[in-house]
Amino acid sequence: MVKILVVDDDKTINSLVCNALVGGGYEACGCFNGKHALEAMENSEFDMIITDVMMPEMDGFEFVKRVRLTDKQIPVLFMTALDDKPSKQLGYSIGIDDYVVKPFDCDLLLLRVGALLRRANIERSRELVAGNLRMNKDEHTAVCNGGEIALTVREFDILFKLLSFPKRIFTRSQLMEEFWDFDSSATSRTVDVYIVKLREKTAKCDGFEIVTVHGLGYKAVIK
């Protein structure tokens, strides 16, 4: 059974979310701040994290930063009363996957959870299909309409990442950190150039679009 960690210092909301998850067929574990949540993660494995932002001892931003030091893949959903652009920018820049503003509908939350878990499974499956494009991560091949697209290793990895998490926004700094490592010559403009190349090379692919999110970064939208 999928196990989800719920982190919120409001005990009523924590209980409400945990009960909704259990009703949706998931296993839920509640913690009341980031510090306790990290301790829980040391003793148990989780498939997803749902966390508040404004919490005592350790807030959601610091909690996610620490999680991402050791786990780049686990889906993270922010649920918070903060609805301002800077908070969303910071959240996505440190590695969250989705953002729900309080108050929220539990049925909608369950839909978001299901979508995030499906995206995570695509990333782990090593193969991906989007319209007439088929990508195989083990073979590092991208085939569109029966013909292989000539992608560099880095182009392939960026495209596979974007398509593995459709609608998730990846900032330029996130992409640089993951795909350029410590290459000091790479800049945010370098990321833009790669996105332009990917758009050109996948122009005949009909199942998705790489969208620029102004002020944030890029995301793949499935058609």
Side-chain angles (χ1 to χ4, degrees), residues 17 64 70 134 164 193:
V17 172
V64 173
T70 57
R134 180 180 294 273
S164 293
V193 171

Side-chain angles (χ1 to χ4, degrees), residues 108-172:
L108 176 59
L109 181 68
L110 288 175
L111 291 174
R112 296 282 187 94
V113 167
L116 286 178
L117 289 170
R118 284 193 297 274
R119 296 175 204 170
N121 286 333
I122 289 172
E123 171 71 7
R124 288 192 286 265
S125 72
R126 313 291 290 182
E127 189 168 80
L128 179 153
V129 177
N132 58 356
L133 173 70
R134 180 180 294 273
M135 301 184 73
N136 186 299
K137 198 166 187 178
D138 292 324
E139 299 175 357
H140 245 69
T141 55
V143 178
C144 181
N145 289 330
E148 187 168 348
I149 303 174
L151 299 176
T152 66
V153 172
R154 188 171 283 150
E155 288 170 348
F156 179 95
D157 289 342
I158 293 172
L159 182 59
F160 195 92
K161 188 73 173 184
L162 291 174
L163 289 175
S164 293
F165 298 92
K167 294 187 179 181
R168 171 178 167 178
I169 300 169
F170 290 91
T171 65
R172 291 172 178 84

Side-chain angles (χ1 to χ4, degrees), residues 197-218:
K197 290 180 179 178
L198 281 173
R199 285 171 173 158
E200 292 174 350
K201 291 185 177 183
T202 61
K204 295 182 179 180
C205 299
D206 59 13
F208 67 93
E209 180 182 5
I210 300 175
V211 176
T212 301
V213 183
H214 296 291
L216 289 173
Y218 298 98

